[in-house]
Amino acid sequence: MISKVMMDYVANSSIIRAMFEEGKRLSSIYGEENVFDFSIGNPNVEPPESIKKAVVEILSEESPNLVHGYMSNSGYVDVRTAISNNISKKHNIKLNEDNIIMTCGAAGGLNILLKTLLDPEDEVITFSPFFGEYKNYVHNFNGKLVIVPSNLETFQPDLEAFEASITNKTKAVIINSPNNPTGVIYSEDTIKQLAEILYKKQTQFSSSIYLISDEPYREIIYDNVKVPYILNYYKNSFIGYSFSKSLSLPGERIGYIVSHSEMDDFHNVIQALNVANRILGFVNAPSLFQRVIGKCLDSEVDVNIYKRNRDLLYNHLIKIGFSCIKPEGAFYLFPKSLIPDDKEFAKEAKKFNLLIVPGSTFGCPGHFRLSYCISYDKIERSLPQFDKLAKIYFK
Amino acid sequence: MISKVMMDYVANSSIIRAMFEEGKRLSSIYGEENVFDFSIGNPNVEPPESIKKAVVEILSEESPNLVHGYMSNSGYVDVRTAISNNISKKHNIKLNEDNIIMTCGAAGGLNILLKTLLDPEDEVITFSPFFGEYKNYVHNFNGKLVIVPSNLETFQPDLEAFEASITNKTKAVIINSPNNPTGVIYSEDTIKQLAEILYKKQTQFSSSIYLISDEPYREIIYDNVKVPYILNYYKNSFIGYSFSKSLSLPGERIGYIVSHSEMDDFHNVIQALNVANRILGFVNAPSLFQRVIGKCLDSEVDVNIYKRNRDLLYNHLIKIGFSCIKPEGAFYLFPKSLIPDDKEFAKEAKKFNLLIVPGSTFGCPGHFRLSYCISYDKIERSLPQFDKLAKIYFK
């Protein structure tokens, strides 16, 4: 009796989430310490102490009806001002509170953006491997997701294929850097070329093509790499940001959208985002946590914990014969599976209590994703399991 | 460059929200104390002290990665268990955690319900006057909202018209009691007859028709009236609940859906709700506030404050010649406007710094809504303004 579209969803319910549930099941059988769940990006690094401090301060100093009440659907003005100032300073760009819409995480942000932009049958381009939810988000608004491959050595987007895929129906492009699932950061050169292609195609089709940069992993970076700020390269651009990973608050559903002041139709766009936040049922980003992050914009989690994890797992996998790009950000590895059939490989891995996600979930078969946001100790204890798994194939 | 559907929304952007912004504008001119904003349902009664206490306890006793982390999309099992036990006891019905899905307020709840149930062109019935967002929520999923009138004396639904409006495309019925905007509570007799009609029509069309009871005002009731619990009357029923009003936490976006265990297709429905929470971008109800309300299920706000407001405003309006049903719940009055054109009447009221919402916003012209969740003092000071407004028409 549920809708046809939901029947399909229920039937193919997210492999990642299914893994999460499977992990809980295996843990109840073998003990949690003997199940190696690399399936979900739930940060294990603690939020900074400043979060708790900010909550306590706000609850004792501010009026409860302000802290827990309704505000404009776009969020508290003082919080949006604080965020815009922070970005302006960090990225040498001039923003104010109008450029910021507070959202229920990046997922909420992407949904109100797509509601705002898409007419039925409009096309949205993304690059594989990609976060599988993009397809669902685009389908929510009757759009069509067009998948363009990346270079499988560098995992930078294939820009020739990109250019060829743009049509007069292309309304938006979603990029994700640092990338889930590869951990790759798009270079400045990539962003410049991408912007150039978009400008050219906009002229060719007399259209507006919006670039949406999904950036929940912006702060999770290693080895002092730079993540280009796309507002400095392309005018029709949005950033979907989230504090889920940068402050280890994924359950709190707190993030924001940045809109470039010089984009086409700026004023209608920000008003539409405000309305979309309301009518999709978000209404507003959770109020207390808006106020909390307003006080914690310079806080950060200890990224070195993730870096140690990356190094341990990456080095070991390379040593025993896996092939994998070394991630510069996020907390994922995306190695090649040892057989072409990545789903079969994931099943095999489960026999060693290793929960991994097949690359085909991200539109990139022949690979698998490991989330290394788990304890160092657990990664250490998982290594012999990877050895056993590899031995099956390297005889 | 925004989508066609959003152009319409932006053009007709919610009158209620526009009023809210207008109130802020007038306040900046005349001073906040001289603007009487009866336009929005933002509770002025403080949340109970237990909320703050629970937050502080949770932050000092529970692991931050649990408190702020991901959980199942349906919410924390322990919180859902606590809620199901609480309901089971209160309403003499047997529920467990599977019956409960934690949602981003009732608005989030209604959206995941409609995503779960609606195929394009499916019909959803509601009774006027109705909360205007229902139309937007139904349109989000390409459904069609069918509006059935209420009896304009009692504001109970017109059940004959209801029966006649049900077709083989009817997938759901949304009721809202205590009602926004009338404050009326549907009697047990109404609910029984409504259920009887639904059972009959399900048989006639061999269909499943789901009853959705939107209940953010369940606890805001006066004079010891009873609000029937619809799970005790109809099997294909859901409740969309929110703590926005019951605990004065509207900004926190915390609520839940209850699904009747004996509904058609129960297991697919709850799985679909779980998936819908994820793919619409809610992901999960905000985590800290899930845990907070898990500890505060027996807390309540001081409803007497609203009752005093109701009595003051209602008695005065009746005295000076307005005609209005006496609300038994929620914090709204829905008087007849003194001229048939309620929009014109609202414009006139604004000249006296009275911000009121025209009844046509709720599909019921010739009336207007007053939200009396503002301070008693302010209501007192607004009374002479209502006198002046009335004098224009009672010459």
Side-chain angles (χ1 to χ4, degrees):
Chain A
M1 306 306 160
I2 63 175
S3 66
K4 288 186 190 69
V5 58
M6 288 308 294
M7 273 190 227
D8 291 342
Y9 278 116
V10 167
N12 307 304
S13 188
S14 163
I15 295 181
I16 299 181
R17 277 282 164 177
M19 281 268 177
F20 183 62
E21 305 291 344
E22 175 71 2
K24 287 199 292 191
R25 198 186 64 82
L26 288 176
S27 295
S28 71
I29 300 172
Y30 299 104
E32 204 236 327
E33 69 283 8
N34 299 314
V35 177
F36 306 100
D37 186 350
F38 291 96
S39 70
I40 201 170
N42 198 2
N44 70 310
V45 173
E46 290 206 349
E49 262 300 307
S50 57
I51 296 293
K52 185 173 159 183
K53 196 169 151 269
V55 171
V56 173
E57 256 175 44
I58 289 164
L59 292 186
S60 59
E61 290 168 12
E62 301 185 14
S63 137
N65 289 119
L66 169 79
V67 172
H68 306 299
Y70 285 130
M71 78 301 302
S72 289
N73 299 121
S74 301
Y76 293 106
V77 172
D78 62 337
V79 174
R80 287 155 52 209
T81 301
I83 291 173
S84 64
N85 289 342
N86 187 276
I87 296 173
S88 300
K89 211 167 54 186
K90 260 191 201 157
H91 300 292
N92 196 26
I93 191 167
K94 220 174 140 41
L95 302 178
N96 65 34
E97 71 274 14
D98 290 337
N99 300 98
I100 309 294
I101 311 258
M102 303 304 299
T103 61
C104 293
L110 290 178
N111 274 282
I112 68 170
L113 272 171
L114 295 170
K115 174 82 176 179
T116 291
L117 297 176
L118 297 190
D119 285 307
E121 305 301 319
D122 275 352
E123 292 168 4
V124 178
I125 297 174
T126 199
F127 300 99
S128 68
F130 66 98
F131 180 45
E133 294 290 88
Y134 295 160
K135 194 173 228 166
N136 303 329
Y137 299 166
V138 169
H139 286 178
N140 284 338
F141 310 104
N142 310 305
K144 189 182 152 200
L145 188 71
V146 175
I147 299 157
V148 169
S150 297
N151 175 313
L152 288 184
E153 294 307 311
T154 63
F155 287 108
Q156 300 283 323
D158 178 338
L159 293 174
E160 258 180 64
F162 173 57
E163 184 164 353
S165 74
I166 300 173
T167 74
N168 62 355
K169 300 290 277 175
T170 306
K171 197 61 179 281
V173 176
I174 304 177
I175 60 172
N176 173 218
S177 162
N179 185 264
N180 172 12
T182 65
V184 161
I185 291 169
Y186 287 3
S187 68
E188 188 178 25
D189 195 47
T190 293
I191 300 296
K192 278 182 175 165
Q193 288 183 58
L194 206 140
E196 203 177 298
I197 292 167
L198 286 173
Y199 279 125
K200 187 170 120 190
K201 288 289 174 176
Q202 285 192 144
T203 308
Q204 180 184 333
F205 294 120
S206 303
S207 65
S208 300
I209 307 175
Y210 292 91
L211 179 59
I212 300 170
S213 185
D214 178 27
E215 303 193 351
Y217 301 100
R218 166 164 284 278
E219 326 300 341
I220 313 295
I221 49 171
Y222 314 114
D223 314 318
N224 295 316
V225 287
K226 291 266 172 286
V227 185
Y229 205 70
I230 62 154
L231 269 68
N232 289 322
Y233 300 88
Y234 187 63
K235 286 184 185 175
N236 279 335
S237 65
F238 297 100
I239 289 164
Y241 190 85
S242 164
F243 296 92
S244 293
K245 277 77 183 188
S246 65
L247 297 177
S248 288
L249 301 170
E252 302 299 352
R253 313 313 304 136
I254 184 75
Y256 59 79
I257 289 171
V258 191
S259 308
H260 196 304
S261 306
E262 294 172 56
M263 69 171 46
D264 298 337
D265 215 16
F266 176 71
H267 290 286
N268 276 332
V269 165
I270 56 171
Q271 216 183 320
L273 288 171
N274 183 293
V275 173
N277 228 355
R278 198 191 83 222
I279 64 178
L280 291 180
F282 298 106
V283 183
N284 53 254
S287 53
L288 172 63
F289 268 83
Q290 285 192 46
R291 306 207 65 70
V292 169
I293 60 96
K295 282 173 170 263
C296 297
L297 291 172
D298 290 318
S299 297
E300 45 192 34
V301 294
D302 184 356
V303 172
N304 277 318
I305 297 175
Y306 294 131
K307 186 172 187 293
R308 279 183 73 211
N309 286 357
R310 176 196 67 165
D311 292 343
L312 176 66
L313 191 56
Y314 174 81
N315 291 337
H316 188 82
L317 291 182
I318 295 297
K319 199 182 76 184
I320 67 175
F322 281 90
S323 129
C324 181
I325 192 160
K326 188 168 186 179
E328 296 183 296
F331 37 54
Y332 306 108
L333 289 180
F334 198 62
K336 278 191 187 140
S337 53
L338 299 179
I339 44 171
D341 185 341
D342 51 317
K343 288 180 183 169
E344 188 54 37
F345 187 72
K347 262 190 211 160
E348 209 53 46
K350 207 166 74 180
K351 293 183 186 161
F352 301 95
N353 281 353
L354 293 168
L355 302 182
I356 68 178
V357 185
S360 43
T361 309
F362 306 94
C364 192
H367 295 75
F368 63 100
R369 190 189 78 171
L370 299 172
S371 298
Y372 55 80
C373 49
I374 62 176
S375 77
Y376 189 86
D377 165 68
K378 197 155 205 177
I379 294 175
E380 249 179 344
R381 286 186 295 106
S382 77
L383 301 181
Q385 302 301 96
F386 282 105
D387 294 347
K388 288 180 216 161
L389 174 64
K391 250 187 209 149
I392 298 176
Y393 303 98
F394 297 128
K395 280 174 199 159
Chain B
M1 307 303 161
I2 63 175
S3 66
K4 287 185 192 70
V5 57
M6 288 309 292
M7 274 191 224
D8 293 341
Y9 278 117
V10 167
N12 308 304
S13 186
S14 162
I15 296 181
I16 299 181
R17 277 281 165 177
M19 282 266 177
F20 182 63
E21 304 291 343
E22 177 71 1
K24 286 199 293 191
R25 197 185 66 82
L26 288 176
S27 295
S28 71
I29 302 172
Y30 299 103
E32 205 236 325
E33 68 284 7
N34 299 313
V35 177
F36 306 100
D37 186 350
F38 291 97
S39 70
I40 200 170
N42 198 3
N44 71 310
V45 173
E46 290 205 348
E49 262 300 308
S50 56
I51 297 293
K52 186 174 159 182
K53 195 167 152 268
V55 171
V56 173
E57 255 176 44
I58 289 164
L59 292 185
S60 59
E61 290 169 14
E62 301 186 14
S63 140
N65 290 119
L66 169 80
V67 172
H68 306 300
Y70 285 129
M71 78 302 302
S72 288
N73 299 121
S74 302
Y76 293 108
V77 172
D78 61 337
V79 174
R80 287 154 54 208
T81 301
I83 291 172
S84 64
N85 289 341
N86 188 277
I87 296 173
S88 300
K89 210 167 54 186
K90 261 191 200 156
H91 300 292
N92 196 27
I93 190 167
K94 219 173 143 40
L95 302 177
N96 64 35
E97 71 274 14
D98 290 337
N99 301 97
I100 309 294
I101 311 259
M102 302 305 298
T103 61
C104 293
L110 290 178
N111 274 281
I112 68 170
L113 272 172
L114 295 170
K115 174 83 177 179
T116 292
L117 296 176
L118 296 189
D119 285 307
E121 307 300 319
D122 275 354
E123 292 169 4
V124 178
I125 296 174
T126 199
F127 299 100
S128 68
F130 66 98
F131 180 45
E133 294 290 87
Y134 294 160
K135 193 174 228 166
N136 302 330
Y137 298 165
V138 169
H139 288 178
N140 283 339
F141 309 105
N142 310 306
K144 191 181 153 202
L145 187 71
V146 175
I147 299 157
V148 170
S150 297
N151 176 313
L152 289 183
E153 295 307 310
T154 61
F155 287 108
Q156 300 283 322
D158 178 338
L159 294 173
E160 257 178 63
F162 173 59
E163 183 162 355
S165 73
I166 299 172
T167 74
N168 63 354
K169 299 290 277 173
T170 305
K171 196 62 180 278
V173 176
I174 304 178
I175 61 172
N176 173 218
S177 163
N179 185 264
N180 172 10
T182 65
V184 161
I185 291 167
Y186 288 2
S187 67
E188 187 177 25
D189 195 47
T190 293
I191 300 296
K192 278 183 175 166
Q193 289 184 56
L194 207 141
E196 203 175 298
I197 292 167
L198 285 173
Y199 279 125
K200 187 170 120 190
K201 287 289 175 176
Q202 284 193 144
T203 307
Q204 181 184 332
F205 294 119
S206 303
S207 65
S208 299
I209 307 176
Y210 292 92
L211 180 59
I212 300 171
S213 186
D214 178 27
E215 303 192 350
Y217 303 101
R218 165 165 285 277
E219 326 301 339
I220 313 296
I221 49 171
Y222 313 115
D223 315 317
N224 296 315
V225 286
K226 291 266 173 287
V227 185
Y229 205 70
I230 62 155
L231 269 68
N232 289 322
Y233 300 89
Y234 187 63
K235 287 185 184 174
N236 279 336
S237 65
F238 297 100
I239 289 164
Y241 189 85
S242 164
F243 296 93
S244 294
K245 277 76 183 189
S246 64
L247 297 176
S248 288
L249 302 170
E252 303 299 352
R253 315 311 305 137
I254 182 76
Y256 60 80
I257 289 170
V258 191
S259 309
H260 197 303
S261 306
E262 294 171 56
M263 69 172 45
D264 298 337
D265 215 14
F266 176 71
H267 290 286
N268 276 332
V269 165
I270 56 171
Q271 217 183 321
L273 288 171
N274 182 294
V275 173
N277 228 355
R278 198 190 83 222
I279 65 177
L280 291 181
F282 298 106
V283 183
N284 53 255
S287 52
L288 171 63
F289 269 83
Q290 284 192 46
R291 306 206 65 71
V292 168
I293 60 96
K295 282 174 170 264
C296 298
L297 290 171
D298 291 320
S299 297
E300 46 192 35
V301 295
D302 183 356
V303 172
N304 277 317
I305 298 174
Y306 294 131
K307 185 171 188 292
R308 277 183 74 211
N309 287 357
R310 176 196 68 166
D311 292 342
L312 176 65
L313 190 58
Y314 173 81
N315 291 337
H316 188 82
L317 291 181
I318 294 298
K319 198 181 76 186
I320 67 176
F322 281 90
S323 128
C324 181
I325 192 160
K326 187 169 189 179
E328 295 182 298
F331 36 54
Y332 306 108
L333 289 180
F334 199 62
K336 278 191 188 143
S337 54
L338 297 179
I339 44 172
D341 185 340
D342 51 316
K343 287 179 184 169
E344 188 54 39
F345 187 73
K347 265 190 207 160
E348 210 52 47
K350 207 166 74 179
K351 294 182 186 162
F352 301 95
N353 281 353
L354 293 168
L355 302 181
I356 67 178
V357 185
S360 43
T361 309
F362 306 94
C364 191
H367 295 74
F368 63 100
R369 189 190 78 170
L370 299 172
S371 297
Y372 56 78
C373 49
I374 62 176
S375 77
Y376 188 85
D377 165 68
K378 198 156 205 175
I379 295 174
E380 248 178 346
R381 287 186 296 105
S382 77
L383 301 182
Q385 303 301 96
F386 282 106
D387 295 345
K388 289 179 213 161
L389 175 64
K391 252 187 206 146
I392 298 176
Y393 303 98
F394 296 128
K395 281 175 198 158

